[in-house]
Amino acid sequence: AQSVTQPDIHITVSEGASLELRCNYSYGATPYLFWYVQSPGQGLQLLLKYFSGDTLVQGIKGFEAEFKRSQSSFNLRKPSVHWSDAAEYFCAVEATDSWGKFQFGAGTQVVVTP
Amino acid sequence: GAVVSQHPSWVICKSGTSVKIECRSLDFQATTMFWYRQFPKQSLMLMATSNEGSKATYEQGVEKDKFLINHASLTLSTLTVTSAHPEDSSFYICSATGTQTYNEQFFGPGTRLTVL
């Protein structure tokens, strides 16, 4: 069965420290991959996406993600976290033959401490 | 980027009543809109896909008679929760995409529904 896994439900990080959020997927073929951020009571904002090409993707707000086909992973990173990065982060995949149908991971709650 | 709005942002209703939620694309033509449901502390679950002028396609397990979706124009889709019950309380989020958005989905801010 197709699945998207975010192993970390909750991550606490100090302001200024680096952050890495994990995402693994299980699909028949490499899907399209996305990372979204959601602030409390808000909708989702796209951070970055991967369709093909360069496996290191740059996004907004200083985020980047690396696609690793051998590990079926698409991990999100930020070198130095700001307090405003505290939010819920969702990895999402879109099967190439099911346009528009996103499957979301369970999400990772990021807490930033002073 | 493209903007999607939802109205209302929150609604409280009595059990047994129906509630309509609107999803609008403000600056682009949304040929396709998606409706998601999000329970507290959980992920988004796709409920249905609607194409302008066509009947919505519902995901497995979603009651089409309970959640009525209409996509009558290129800028508006509505979700009506009929005969709402407390278990329908949730955060409902829509997203929209169109040819002008290069197939990228843009999400609305969500609607918090509480059924008493």
Side-chain angles (χ1 to χ4, degrees):
Chain A
Q2 298 175 332
S3 65
V4 183
T5 303
Q6 291 181 245
D8 304 304
I9 297 173
H10 185 275
I11 285 181
T12 299
V13 60
S14 299
E15 191 168 14
S18 63
L19 173 69
E20 181 169 16
L21 304 182
R22 295 182 290 166
C23 175
N24 295 93
Y25 64 89
S26 176
Y27 271 67
T30 299
Y32 301 137
L33 300 159
F34 305 80
W35 273 101
Y36 285 88
V37 61
Q38 183 182 35
S39 296
Q42 302 294 314
L44 277 69
Q45 181 181 23
L46 178 67
L47 288 174
L48 46 77
K49 59 188 176 186
Y50 173 79
F51 286 173
S52 65
D54 192 347
T55 56
L56 186 61
V57 181
Q58 301 298 320
I60 63 171
K61 302 185 178 186
F63 284 93
E64 66 177 25
E66 185 172 13
F67 167 63
K68 292 186 178 180
R69 185 187 305 274
S70 62
Q71 299 178 18
S72 296
S73 69
F74 188 56
N75 295 346
L76 181 72
R77 298 192 294 253
K78 184 168 184 177
S80 178
V81 169
H82 188 262
W83 63 266
S84 60
D85 293 321
E88 185 91 19
Y89 292 80
F90 291 98
C91 177
V93 301
E94 177 188 5
T96 56
D97 61 352
S98 299
W99 176 80
K101 289 194 173 185
F102 281 20
Q103 184 172 7
F104 285 85
T108 298
Q109 181 72 48
V110 173
V111 173
V112 180
T113 59
Chain B
V3 179
V4 175
S5 70
Q6 283 185 241
H7 178 80
S9 55
W10 59 270
V11 57
I12 301 173
C13 69
K14 292 182 179 180
S15 186
T17 61
S18 294
V19 174
K20 180 183 285 188
I21 301 170
E22 294 184 348
C23 177
R24 292 182 185 273
S25 58
L26 299 185
D27 50 4
F28 67 99
Q29 294 183 327
T31 50
T32 305
M33 286 184 168
F34 304 88
W35 286 95
Y36 294 85
R37 183 173 181 177
Q38 184 180 28
F39 289 103
K41 306 288 186 185
Q42 295 188 29
S43 187
L44 285 78
M45 300 296 293
L46 179 64
M47 299 174 65
T49 303
S50 72
N51 293 297
E52 186 265 338
S54 304
K55 287 185 178 181
T57 302
Y58 291 81
E59 295 301 301
Q60 191 173 9
V62 177
E63 299 177 61
K64 57 182 66 177
D65 294 331
K66 164 68 111 174
F67 300 99
L68 301 179
I69 292 172
N70 183 276
H71 191 168
S73 79
L74 285 172
T75 59
L76 174 64
S77 176
T78 59
L79 167 67
T80 301
V81 183
T82 62
S83 186
H85 290 283
E87 58 266 29
D88 298 324
S89 298
S90 191
F91 195 54
Y92 293 89
I93 300 176
C94 72
S95 70
T97 187
T99 55
Q100 297 161 302
T101 63
Y102 302 98
N103 295 331
E104 180 176 337
Q105 284 193 39
F106 291 89
F107 286 80
T111 296
R112 172 76 59 194
L113 170 64
T114 301
V115 184
L116 302 177

